[in-house]
Amino acid sequence: MSTDLTPPTARSDAERGEPKPKVKAATVWLDGCSGCHMSFLDIDERLIELAQHIDMVYSPLVDPKQFPDHVDVALVEGAVSSEEDLEKIKRIRKHTSILIAFGDCAVTANVPSMRNSFSVKDVYQRGYFETATRRAGVPDQVVPKLLPQARPIHEYVPVDVFLQGCPPPADVIYGLLTDLLAGRKPNLTEHTRFGR
């Protein structure tokens, strides 16, 4: 994995003494609880420091709703559970230099995989018929069709960095991003683990 987030044009700009372009970053929320995004926000005032080097081009936290044609680094939270998730993660991988599995649901499928011992038909039966308080039935609009099982991201696309934690601590997220911005390969083994 290359950890150099410096766009090639930035190197020549730096040689000419021009300001370095910002790194294009994204955060994505698949099947998860958004706890990893909350932990990201817990970076607090250090977000201002990161904003000097990073341009957040796609995220549930910003306005653009179409994943860009090129992203330098993407943090992807959640498991791949639906056809929409699968389509999205393939597009993200195709257009991202460094893809980070962000949190335990992305790394192992964690909580979303609790449904894996049941068939999709049984999940729909429980969710849309047995517990329905009005208009029982499987929705055919807006709600994406479930895949047979919720699976971790790396089972569908290559992942460059695995960031465990439920959620990963804010300090670890900050350390990871500053390591990548400095061109260092992050070493996460001593800073986080499954469930922490």
Side-chain angles (χ1 to χ4, degrees), residues 26-40 60 74-80 85 88-89 92 99-107 112 153 163 165-168:
T27 69
V28 180
W29 180 11
L30 301 179
D31 188 4
C33 69
S34 83
C36 297
H37 277 82
M38 295 301 105
S39 193
F40 179 85
L75 294 102
V76 182
E77 172 185 357
V80 178
D85 293 340
K88 191 180 288 186
I89 196 62
I92 291 164
L99 192 154
I100 300 170
F102 184 28
D104 288 345
C105 292
V107 174
I153 293 170
L163 178 55
C166 185

Side-chain angles (χ1 to χ4, degrees), residues 24-26 57-58 67-74 92 95-98:
K24 293 181 179 178
V57 294
Y58 180 87
F67 198 84
D69 288 338
H70 175 72
V71 170
D72 296 307
V73 60
I92 291 164
H95 297 280
T96 300
S97 298
I98 298 176

Side-chain angles (χ1 to χ4, degrees), residues 168-180:
D171 289 344
V172 175
I173 299 168
Y174 174 78
L176 166 65
L177 292 174
T178 53
D179 277 351
L180 291 174

Side-chain angles (χ1 to χ4, degrees), residues 136-148:
V138 178
D140 60 358
Q141 297 178 4
V142 181
V143 178
K145 185 176 177 184
L146 290 177
L147 295 171

